């Protein structure tokens, strides 16, 4: 009765062949049950679409078209549906995400590329609260704050997103161990036609080397404590240097406020784009601010999709 195409819009976005493929791995299908493995995956996905509805309500929504067509659909209790959710587990959902996550823009899409390079950005958040269960506390621990520790365990998310259209290219979830360590797990998603935008929280030798090895370009604001050697001063005032064994170009800039005053301190973005004519410093400075678009992505994840949970 759960034939292909009978599970609504989800099957148009995630075809049943794709779901079957991620389930066709050892230990994932199990024996035949009232709710087959394929349907169980769609049920868990539907839970995310209707976060305020009960398990039974979501099940009725998912199978409503079958009942309207006069087909017999099994009745499953709320406890049974909870077992369905646990039976699916995280592995098939992670595999589905890794398949569908990726850039959405075309080369002609406005606001997603600069001088032929697709702009992407790393960033993380650790403010997603999850239930205070023994397993969750053992997994994530307690995050320390000024007043002690947080009331609930916090799930850390590190994401790589395309700017402009803002889809996720990859993500890592788990305990908070530092942004750089989490970002290094996503470097494999970078390509030679990408330009990585990152703030000074990613100013680490390992991160700079990893991005350079991926052949992607980098635009990163470095910390004030770095003192890169001046190897050659270029026509636009930037200079060539080497950081972590990677040839870079350092741009020094001051920030002028709307009232005409100058912000205290200097901003020093560094980039692996060393051609002054092809990649002028002024264009790179203006482009650096686009990295904050990833905050809009996290706004959608935390508040629009998850209602802050």
């Amino acid at each position: 009765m759960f034939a292909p195409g009978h599970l609504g819009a989800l099957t148009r976005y995630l075809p049943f062949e794709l779901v079957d493929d991620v389930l066709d791995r050892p230990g994932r299908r199990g024996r035949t049950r009232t709710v087959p493995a394929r349907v169980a995956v769609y049920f868990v996905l539907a839970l995310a679409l209707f976060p305020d509805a009960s398990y039974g309500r979501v099940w009725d929504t998912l199978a409503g078209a079958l009942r309207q067509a006069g087909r017999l659909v099994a009745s499953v209790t709320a406890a049974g549906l909870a077992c369905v959710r646990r039976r699916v587990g995280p592995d098939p959902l992670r595999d589905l995400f890794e398949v569908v996550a990726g850039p959405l823009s075309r080369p002609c899409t406005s606001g997603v590329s600069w001088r032929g390079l697709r702009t992407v950005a790393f960033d993380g958040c650790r403010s997603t609260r999850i239930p205070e269960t023994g397993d969750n506390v053992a997994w994530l621990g307690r995050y320390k704050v000024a007043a002690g520790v947080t009331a609930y365990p916090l799930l850390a998310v590190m994401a790589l997103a395309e700017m402009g259209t803002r889809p996720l290219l990859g993500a890592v979830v788990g305990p908070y161990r530092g942004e750089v360590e989490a970002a290094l797990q996503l470097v494999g998603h970078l390509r030679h036609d990408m330009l990585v935008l990152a703030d000074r929280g990613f100013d680490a030798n390992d991160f700079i080397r990893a991005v350079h090895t991926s052949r992607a370009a980098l635009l990163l604001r470095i910390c004030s404590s770095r003192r890169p050697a001046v190897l050659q001063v270029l026509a636009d005032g930037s200079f060539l240097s080497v950081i972590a064994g990677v040839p870079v170009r350092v741009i020094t800039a001051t920030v002028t406020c709307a009232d005409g005053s100058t912000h205290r301190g200097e901003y020093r973005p560094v980039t692996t784009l060393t051609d002054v004519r092809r990649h002028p410093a002024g264009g790179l400075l203006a482009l650096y601010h686009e990295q904050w678009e990833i905050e809009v992505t996290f706004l959608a994840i935390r508040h629009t999709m998850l209602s802050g949970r």
Side-chain angles (χ1 to χ4, degrees):
M1 57 182 155
F2 294 107
H6 287 169
L7 292 172
L10 283 172
T11 56
R12 293 195 292 271
Y13 182 67
L14 293 171
F16 70 91
E17 296 93 344
L18 174 58
V19 176
D20 285 348
D21 181 68
V22 300
L23 289 172
D24 193 21
R25 299 178 187 181
R28 291 196 178 176
R29 282 191 179 273
R31 61 184 178 84
T32 303
R33 302 168 186 257
T34 304
V35 180
R38 176 202 293 171
V39 180
V41 170
Y42 284 114
F43 170 70
V44 174
L45 293 171
L47 292 176
L49 297 179
F50 305 100
D52 296 324
S54 65
Y55 280 17
R57 183 82 174 272
V58 173
W59 176 255
D60 290 340
T61 301
L62 194 66
L66 294 175
R67 291 196 176 97
Q68 292 177 6
R71 295 175 179 268
L72 179 64
V73 179
S75 296
V76 188
T77 65
L81 292 172
C83 291
V84 167
R85 182 175 188 172
R86 287 192 294 269
R87 176 159 55 93
V88 171
D91 293 340
L93 300 174
R94 182 181 61 245
D95 291 347
L96 283 174
F97 171 77
E98 291 177 353
V99 171
V100 301
L104 296 179
S105 66
R106 299 180 180 181
C108 59
T109 304
S110 176
V112 299
S113 63
W114 187 77
R115 305 293 174 106
L117 296 171
R118 185 189 302 272
T119 53
V120 299
F122 284 97
D123 204 2
C125 76
R126 53 180 182 273
S127 59
T128 302
R129 296 166 295 176
I130 66 171
E132 188 182 14
T133 66
D135 288 342
N136 286 341
V137 172
W139 175 37
L140 301 173
R142 297 287 191 181
Y143 186 71
K144 295 182 179 179
V145 293
V149 295
T150 55
Y152 296 92
L154 298 180
L155 185 69
V157 181
M158 171 56 62
L160 173 64
E162 178 185 62
M163 298 297 91
T165 52
R166 298 189 289 271
L168 297 186
L169 309 186
V172 174
V173 298
Y176 179 73
R177 297 191 179 96
E179 289 188 330
V180 171
E181 182 178 343
L184 289 176
Q185 300 180 53
L186 298 173
V187 170
H189 294 279
L190 299 178
R191 300 292 180 266
H192 70 281
D193 62 343
M194 293 181 176
L195 171 57
V196 178
L197 310 178
D199 62 25
R200 58 184 177 180
F202 296 90
D203 180 13
N205 291 344
D206 289 344
F207 180 79
I208 295 173
R209 282 192 291 262
V211 173
H212 181 65
T213 302
S214 73
R215 299 175 59 202
L218 175 66
L219 178 60
L220 164 75
R221 180 187 170 196
I222 59 175
C223 299
S224 58
S225 58
R226 275 201 188 267
R227 293 287 183 263
V230 180
L231 301 182
Q232 179 183 349
V233 179
L234 303 177
D236 61 355
S238 61
F239 63 88
L240 300 181
S241 186
V242 175
I243 297 178
V246 177
V248 297
R249 175 174 156 218
V250 182
I251 305 170
T252 302
T254 56
V255 178
T256 302
C257 303
D259 60 2
S261 61
T262 300
H263 188 274
R264 182 179 59 185
E266 293 181 335
Y267 275 53
R268 293 186 302 161
V270 301
T271 179
T272 54
L273 301 173
T274 57
D275 190 330
V276 175
R277 293 184 178 180
R278 187 175 180 183
H279 306 111
L284 289 169
L285 288 172
L287 179 68
Y288 174 78
H289 296 281
E290 292 189 10
Q291 65 157 316
W292 302 115
E293 290 185 16
I294 198 170
E295 297 293 346
V296 183
T297 302
F298 280 119
L299 176 68
I301 293 174
R302 289 184 292 183
H303 300 288
T304 305
M305 295 174 62
L306 297 178
S307 300
R309 292 190 298 273

